Amino acid sequence: MKRSFKYRFYPTDAQAVELSRTFGCVRKVCNLALAARAEAWKARGERMGYGQTSAMLTAWKKTEVGKARTRVARIHARIADRRRDFLHQLTTRLVRESQTLVIEDLTVSSMPRNHELARSISDAAWRELRSMLEYETAWYGRELIAVDRWFPSSKLCSACGVIADAMPLGVREWTCESCGTAHGRDGNAAVNLLAAGLASAACGADVRPHRESSSRSGRSVAKRESPRVSVGIPSR
């Protein structure tokens, strides 16, 4: 006795997309092979076997892969041009509107090793941004100050000068245990970098504050007012 079984499954949305894509590829390959066989029979009265069809499909795949790579390369080039244009406009505006710019001397080459931040860091093109700032500040006669990479800009309380014991990258907001001031990580780092950069520009002071525990009060780096000063790349 012969038996038959019927099965039905209900794919998720993601599975449905993958199935549709797979069936679409199979349909295109099948139609291409059938068209080639029909053309060979109509033009030359030749029957194409499996080997000939397979070789034809392999050659077609190489051609399509080459076309896809060319399209991807063009897309990447277009993205790079747009990013470069954006960075040029941004740096030009910052330099024209400011007499002094303060940045943090980050080790950009090693930062993409952090898998959680690699994509964002690469998209931001920090190295190219700094290079543009360097030559544009020199061109316009402005001053660019790079604060030491070990300066604890994120952990230093800009209100009382106490340095927090630890500040993981996942912490975006924190409260100083000494004075109770609430900080946004990037905003607090920007204030500290500005103060450190101005102190260094004014008197060549060491921009590394004396380390204090969170239970003791400390002093922040001396702040000096300067007109129209911008801060870039504030967070570490």
Side-chain angles (χ1 to χ4, degrees):
M1 181 181 296
K2 295 182 179 180
R3 295 182 179 181
S4 63
F5 298 91
K6 294 183 179 180
Y7 298 93
R8 176 177 294 180
F9 75 99
Y10 301 92
T12 63
D13 292 341
Q15 291 172 339
V17 170
E18 292 299 325
L19 288 171
S20 177
R21 182 181 303 172
T22 301
F23 293 151
C25 292
V26 171
R27 186 180 300 111
K28 183 174 181 63
V29 170
C30 181
N31 291 337
L32 182 66
L34 290 176
R37 288 188 174 189
E39 180 66 22
W41 176 256
K42 181 179 180 179
R44 302 182 298 275
E46 177 185 355
R47 292 182 180 274
M48 291 185 63
Y50 175 81
Q52 292 173 296
T53 305
S54 178
M56 181 210 51
L57 293 177
T58 300
W60 174 78
K61 182 172 65 175
K62 291 181 179 179
T63 302
E64 291 300 313
V65 169
K67 291 180 180 178
R69 288 177 177 174
T70 301
R71 289 194 296 268
V72 171
R74 289 176 180 173
I75 293 173
H76 285 176
R78 185 160 59 249
I79 293 174
D81 289 341
R82 291 181 178 178
R83 181 191 294 121
R84 192 176 300 108
D85 180 66
F86 170 77
L87 292 177
H88 178 71
Q89 294 184 33
L90 173 63
T91 53
T92 299
R93 179 174 60 83
L94 289 174
V95 171
R96 286 180 175 178
E97 295 178 355
S98 308
Q99 296 296 325
T100 304
L101 292 99
V102 182
I103 62 175
E104 192 170 9
D105 185 21
L106 301 174
T107 310
V108 180
S109 59
S110 63
M111 295 182 72
R113 297 173 187 173
N114 186 321
H115 300 295
E116 295 180 359
L117 301 177
R119 185 180 183 87
S120 298
I121 293 171
S122 298
D123 289 340
W126 285 352
R127 185 187 299 277
E128 189 171 3
L129 174 62
R130 176 167 179 171
S131 298
M132 288 184 177
L133 285 175
E134 288 175 346
Y135 79 73
E136 289 192 22
T137 49
W139 178 268
Y140 287 98
R142 304 296 198 254
E143 184 177 15
L144 178 65
I145 301 174
V147 177
D148 188 277
R149 70 189 61 173
W150 301 113
F151 176 70
S153 57
S154 298
K155 297 192 295 182
L156 177 66
C157 175
S158 58
C160 68
V162 167
I163 301 176
D165 295 331
M167 189 66 58
L169 287 175
V171 177
R172 310 312 302 174
E173 297 181 354
W174 61 284
T175 301
C176 178
E177 296 182 359
S178 177
C179 66
T181 302
H183 296 293
R185 184 190 185 98
D186 294 339
N188 177 69
V191 172
N192 289 327
L193 287 172
L194 175 60
L198 293 180
S200 177
C203 55
D206 184 2
V207 297
R208 297 188 188 182
H210 296 292
R211 181 171 294 277
E212 300 284 351
S213 65
S214 58
S215 61
R216 297 174 57 188
S217 61
R219 291 187 177 182
S220 60
V221 178
K223 299 182 181 179
R224 297 174 57 113
E225 296 296 330
S226 177
R228 304 175 66 185
V229 178
S230 295
V231 180
I233 320 178
S235 159
R236 182 182 74 248

